[in-house]
Amino acid sequence: FVGTVDQLKPGSFLRNLDAKTWVMRFDATQAARESAPEGAIIALYQKCPHLGCTVPWRPEFSWTDPRSGETYQGWFRCPCHGSTYTVSGFRVFGPAPRSMDTFALTIANGNITVDTGKIKQGGTGPTDNSSRAILPG
Ligand code: FES
């Protein structure tokens, strides 16, 4: 259990150190960029698929999205070698061979549960990760 849907407004996130996860919920702008439904939720494994450093979410960090050419704030940015990922964990820059891995996620009665025993390897396509995001209720 990592939190409730009520705690996780669109555009916000939950951090759970025990589960080593970032649980991200897309607002309208993020959803459009990721080709996912507004309000969808995804659980990302914090471990960088390059050499395993913990990747922080950096809401203030600004980068140019190669998909659109748009520069905006809010990226995952690995402190070790600079791999950079969108809010859905899609890799846009750096030596990582793929996007961030995801955990299986269930939402029942407003409670969000992450199954850390079920890791799905991040893909390389722009919607491989975002297509795994789910809408509550
Ligand atoms: Fe993250 Fe190298 S470990 S970029």
Side-chain angles (χ1 to χ4, degrees):
F1 172 76
V2 294
T4 66
V5 172
D6 285 347
Q7 289 175 284
L8 188 59
K9 300 296 179 207
S12 70
F13 63 88
L14 294 168
R15 174 77 167 121
N16 189 290
L17 293 171
D18 290 334
K20 300 184 175 163
T21 189
W22 295 97
V23 181
M24 314 302 289
R25 189 170 189 195
F26 308 145
D27 65 18
T29 303
Q30 292 168 329
R33 289 176 184 142
E34 305 304 315
S35 302
E38 179 181 353
I41 298 172
I42 189 169
L44 298 169
Y45 186 17
Q46 68 181 18
K47 184 177 174 183
C48 183
H50 181 222
L51 295 177
C53 291
T54 296
V55 184
W57 171 246
R58 293 190 47 198
E60 82 296 345
F61 183 73
S62 188
W63 193 257
T64 299
D65 192 327
R67 298 171 298 183
S68 63
E70 179 194 7
T71 300
Y72 55 83
Q73 291 182 309
W75 297 87
F76 287 99
R77 173 83 166 176
C78 185
C80 294
H81 313 97
S83 287
T84 305
Y85 310 88
T86 72
V87 67
S88 74
F90 171 55
R91 190 204 74 99
V92 298
F93 177 81
R98 63 177 191 270
S99 297
M100 293 168 74
D101 298 342
T102 59
F103 289 124
L105 174 74
T106 53
I107 302 169
N109 301 319
N111 294 317
I112 304 168
T113 306
V114 173
D115 186 345
T116 56
K118 290 189 184 152
I119 299 178
K120 193 165 182 186
Q121 193 167 287
T124 54
T127 58
D128 290 346
N129 272 22
S130 61
S131 65
R132 302 173 194 175
I134 59 173
L135 275 173

